[in-house]
Amino acid sequence: MASISHLIIFTSLLALFSSLVPAVATARQLALVQEQPLVLKYHNGPLLKGNITVNIVWYGKFSPAQRSIIVDFLHSLNSMKPPAPSVSTWWRTTGKFRGGPRTVVVGKQVLEEKYSLGKLLKTPQIVTLVSKAGHGKNSINLVLTSADVAIDGFCMSKCGTHGSGQDKVGKFAYAWVGNAATQCPGQCAWPFHQPIYGPQGPPLVAPNGNVGIDGMILNLATVLAGTVTNPFNNGYFQGPANAPLEAVSACTGIFGKGAYPGYPGEVLVDKTTGASYNAFGINGRKYLLPAMWDPTTSTCKTLV
């Protein structure tokens, strides 16, 4: 029976926007204040490195088109075919952490379309779903829940999580991300939906035409980077171990140059669709990815 070693919460954008001053002009002024370098301390624990297999448990109803957007993203993490700026360029920043380059391979995919555990899940049930994909060495079992599935704490304090467990084989890492399309798009799918709090600028157009799935990509990118650089709660992070700032969650809300609270920054825009993006993927895909902390510069690094 798996047990939870730790649970990393990807803090929702609620905290970001609830702390905003009301005037955008003031936010711009605050952005000009000289900030101290951001440092994620390494706590001497093991990291995931080399070839990493991501096994997926699809819980609930996902259309083939929705699954392909996410699987294409995972395959794009190591593909050199797309032009710059690319998803693989973004992922290569994880290679600057201890352990060197990290290659992601999509492994087993399990479809749980009949809601075997119901549509209201507690955290221990996520671990139960994780086990359905087996536990391999140097792997991450990823649970993705559909828009009609509610998770304990989803929207209130998290958009996705990652953690670890242990069984007879040894320690294993897992992650979960939910589809917030109908439950809390203003928190977990921003900037593709207007936020609940803060400046109410027009939302960006989702690059794959699906606010829920494109929002999942944002949170999946966050938890994947956190999982490989802090898989067992003793890797890279800042702050308390039970609520750490990690490789991407330390850079919340930053997608392009000039970002400040409530404004994602300057990103690329597709002239035909009006969709916003900052990374090219395989099969002609475009994605919007959050900034990642670069250990060589101690800054949040954006693709554009």
Side-chain angles (χ1 to χ4, degrees):
M1 181 70 177
S3 62
I4 299 175
S5 173
H6 76 290
L7 182 65
I8 300 299
I9 295 179
F10 171 42
T11 305
S12 72
L13 291 167
L14 173 64
L16 171 66
F17 292 117
S18 63
S19 64
L20 296 180
V21 290
V24 175
T26 304
R28 286 197 182 98
Q29 293 170 2
L30 290 174
L32 298 177
V33 176
Q34 186 65 38
E35 297 181 358
Q36 296 298 317
L38 175 65
V39 177
L40 301 189
K41 182 181 178 181
Y42 176 54
H43 295 78
N44 301 314
L47 310 178
L48 298 184
K49 55 190 178 182
N51 294 325
I52 301 167
T53 300
V54 175
N55 302 306
I56 307 173
V57 177
W58 302 91
Y59 189 82
K61 299 293 176 62
F62 287 90
S63 70
Q66 289 176 326
R67 293 200 300 269
S68 68
I69 294 170
I70 293 176
V71 173
D72 280 354
F73 167 70
L74 293 172
H75 284 308
S76 296
L77 291 171
N78 306 114
S79 176
M80 298 301 173
K81 294 181 180 180
S86 67
V87 173
S88 61
T89 301
W90 176 85
W91 183 250
R92 279 201 294 274
T93 299
T94 64
K96 297 182 179 182
F97 292 75
R98 289 174 183 262
R102 293 162 168 85
T103 301
V104 171
V105 177
V106 177
K108 182 188 299 185
Q109 296 189 53
V110 178
L111 299 182
E112 277 279 325
E113 296 181 310
K114 296 184 177 181
Y115 306 93
S116 60
L117 300 179
K119 293 185 178 182
L120 177 58
L121 305 181
K122 301 290 186 180
T123 298
Q125 291 175 300
I126 295 294
V127 181
T128 299
L129 291 174
V130 164
S131 66
K132 292 182 178 293
H135 297 149
K137 184 179 180 181
N138 214 43
S139 66
I140 301 170
N141 282 9
L142 172 65
V143 175
L144 300 175
T145 51
S146 58
D148 56 349
V149 176
I151 308 292
D152 184 30
F154 186 34
C155 299
M156 299 301 293
S157 61
K158 56 192 175 187
C159 302
T161 60
H162 78 83
S164 65
Q166 186 158 357
D167 57 16
K168 295 179 180 179
V169 178
K171 284 187 175 182
F172 61 89
Y174 70 87
W176 157 76
V177 174
N179 186 332
T182 58
Q183 298 182 56
C184 56
Q187 291 168 255
C188 294
W190 182 85
F192 304 127
H193 190 282
Q194 284 185 307
I196 297 177
Y197 300 99
Q200 298 295 302
L204 303 183
V205 177
N208 293 285
N210 190 307
V211 170
I213 298 299
D214 280 302
M216 290 185 79
I217 294 294
L218 301 178
N219 299 317
L220 176 55
T222 300
V223 298
L224 275 183
T227 303
V228 299
T229 59
N230 186 33
F232 306 116
N233 207 28
N234 52 10
Y236 283 89
F237 65 89
Q238 180 192 74
N242 61 348
L245 293 177
E246 300 178 316
V248 173
S249 60
C251 304
T252 296
I254 301 173
F255 298 91
K257 183 180 179 181
Y260 54 81
Y263 173 59
E266 299 174 13
V267 296
L268 303 174
V269 178
D270 187 288
K271 294 181 180 179
T272 302
T273 64
S276 295
Y277 67 99
N278 60 9
F280 292 98
I282 65 170
N283 296 328
R285 297 282 190 195
K286 296 181 178 70
Y287 296 99
L288 185 70
L289 300 179
M292 188 187 307
W293 185 73
D294 187 331
T296 62
T297 61
S298 295
T299 60
C300 290
K301 181 180 180 181
T302 59
L303 286 170
V304 295

